[in-house]
Amino acid sequence: MAEARDEERRQQFKVLHDNVLHTLESIARGELAIGSQQVRETCMRDADYLRGLITGGADSIPTDLGVALAGMGRDRSALGLRINQQFDALPKQFPPHVTEALTGAAREALNNVVKHAGTDEAWLSAYGDGVGGVIVTVVDRGHGFDLQAKSDGLGLMRSVRHRVLEVGGKVRIDSAPSEGTSIEMSWTP
Amino acid sequence: MIEIGVIDDDQMLLQGMAAWIGSTGDIRLAATATSVEDYLDTAEIPKIVILDLNLGNYTDPVRNVARLVNSGLQVIVASVIPDRAYIAATTEAGAAAYVTKNNNLDTLADVIRAIHDGKTPTTPEHAFWLGRDDRPRRPKLSPREREILVAVGNGTPHKAIARQLGITMSTVQTHLERVRYKYASVGRPIDHAAHYSERVREDNLGRERLPEPTNGNPHPHQ
């Protein structure tokens, strides 16, 4: 079980690091015009991804959840969203199905930002609660919406909520017109 | 025109910085140096300086900030990788702001302007790491101060925080300023080497990247 997870993590690392290495080597070989918008965006995305993996203190090591969230964030960035990632003290042992659910919910939340928030920047934060649980937040400073009114935002929120509730987590959504949206997902064992 | 300086040992970054800062129109990069000593030797020292948290010369980040602050400068600490303990400790040493080196010019420019206006801006990344401060002797924050720090830290705009808590935006700002004041006046100034070794012990700061405080010999490069 643990070995299978280690192997999975190695695979994840390999795929994700391959992307970053590919970017660096392409530049080194002179294949890319480094001043171009596309290359700059790719570099920024890769940098954000690596930073997401290494943040914290001297004691912090990459975790399954951290790697999954950072990789997901990197993919979302390709949609033109600037994602400020901050991870700290994530649990080292974490149920894979919860990792999957939280990462999927955060992905939906970020998709929601791309589609409805009218902004190109979002914050993705995650930290451990010290007793084996985590809090993941997705925040934007875009349009926001009226929580009382029926709107597009709410439909997407339903899929975020569904994924988290299904694994026994909690979701808190806050939004108001022109004040952005923040989604807090938490899970405790 | 706001004049600033940068202390960084990354030549590529220093070169890019001048053009980059120049594009703001109201901020000018007037001095660069690769060490704190060299910066303080500059003929006309800009009062606002961006300091790399981890200079490759293995000087201590906390002491670097303290030296610049004691010289009357306002220090913006910048780092590639956020390190919880050092962000907290440099804040206590009197740094005016903390930013990550993620090339977000708008954020950096706003921070510079705020400091120029005499404010003490707390960026989301700064709030996030102060909110994660787990050192045994960290400043005591009120539940409300912590709540606001965590909300700012996860990117929530001040306007939304004010609405959620039923307070005004200026009260949000006041709470943040009080947090910064608590850090700045934590009563543990580092003004000589003995203090430094005390702080390292107290804060459990990683030693592997730093010289032992007493012998002053830098680690050889690997």
Side-chain angles (χ1 to χ4, degrees), chain A residues 35-50:
Chain A
S36 80
Q37 185 70 13
Q38 192 202 347
V39 171
R40 283 166 52 202
E41 282 170 8
T42 305
C43 288
M44 203 175 276
R45 203 153 65 223
D46 287 344
D48 284 343
Y49 159 68
L50 285 177

Side-chain angles (χ1 to χ4, degrees), chain A residues 51 86 88 127 141 174 179, chain B residues 80 132 153 155 163-164:
Chain A
R51 184 178 292 109
Q86 315 181 100
D88 189 40
Y127 53 90
R141 300 179 173 185
D174 179 80
E179 292 183 11
Chain B
V80 175
R132 302 293 306 158
R163 172 177 46 75
Q164 288 165 19

Side-chain angles (χ1 to χ4, degrees), chain B residues 53 62 65 77 82-95 98 125-126 129-135 137-139 180 182-184 186 188 203 205:
Chain B
L53 183 67
V62 180
V65 170
V77 172
D83 186 309
R84 202 194 303 123
Y86 277 109
I87 292 167
T90 49
T91 303
E92 286 177 350
Y98 167 75
E125 57 259 41
H126 199 177
W129 294 107
L130 291 184
R132 302 293 306 158
D133 188 3
D134 61 353
R135 300 165 309 150
R137 288 192 51 185
R138 63 187 177 273
R180 299 295 303 279
K182 283 184 178 181
Y183 268 87
V186 85
R188 304 188 304 153
D203 295 345
L205 292 173

Side-chain angles (χ1 to χ4, degrees), chain B residues 1-6 17-18 21-22 27-33 39 42-48:
Chain B
M1 186 68 82
I2 306 170
E3 297 206 328
I4 65 154
V6 176
M17 201 77 171
I21 286 288
I27 303 169
R28 194 174 80 85
L29 180 58
T32 63
Y39 189 75
T42 309
E44 298 206 4
I45 307 173
K47 290 291 176 209
I48 299 174

Side-chain angles (χ1 to χ4, degrees), chain A residues 3-20:
Chain A
E3 276 167 30
R5 206 160 43 236
D6 281 351
E7 181 52 32
E8 192 186 321
R9 186 186 296 181
R10 265 195 294 277
Q11 282 303 325
Q12 269 176 332
F13 261 126
K14 199 167 163 296
V15 171
L16 292 163
H17 289 177
D18 275 356
N19 289 331
V20 178

Side-chain angles (χ1 to χ4, degrees), chain B residues 97-175:
Chain B
Y98 167 75
V99 296
T100 45
K101 285 195 201 171
N102 63 358
N103 294 320
N104 194 335
L105 179 58
D106 291 341
T107 305
L108 181 58
D110 285 346
V111 164
I112 292 168
R113 291 183 193 114
I115 291 174
H116 183 72
D117 291 342
K119 296 180 187 132
T120 310
T122 303
T123 58
E125 57 259 41
H126 199 177
F128 182 85
W129 294 107
L130 291 184
R132 302 293 306 158
D133 188 3
D134 61 353
R135 300 165 309 150
R137 288 192 51 185
R138 63 187 177 273
K140 254 195 161 48
L141 304 183
S142 73
R144 181 47 57 99
E145 285 162 0
R146 256 200 69 79
E147 195 176 13
I148 290 172
L149 205 52
V150 169
V152 171
N154 67 28
T156 312
H158 290 196
K159 201 158 61 165
I161 297 171
R163 172 177 46 75
Q164 288 165 19
L165 301 179
I167 57 180
T168 63
M169 274 171 74
S170 77
T171 306
V172 172
Q173 194 55 45
T174 304
H175 280 291

Side-chain angles (χ1 to χ4, degrees), chain B residues 10-22 29:
Chain B
D10 180 345
Q11 282 302 329
M12 234 159 75
L13 180 135
L14 286 178
Q15 283 166 17
M17 201 77 171
W20 192 50
I21 286 288
L29 180 58

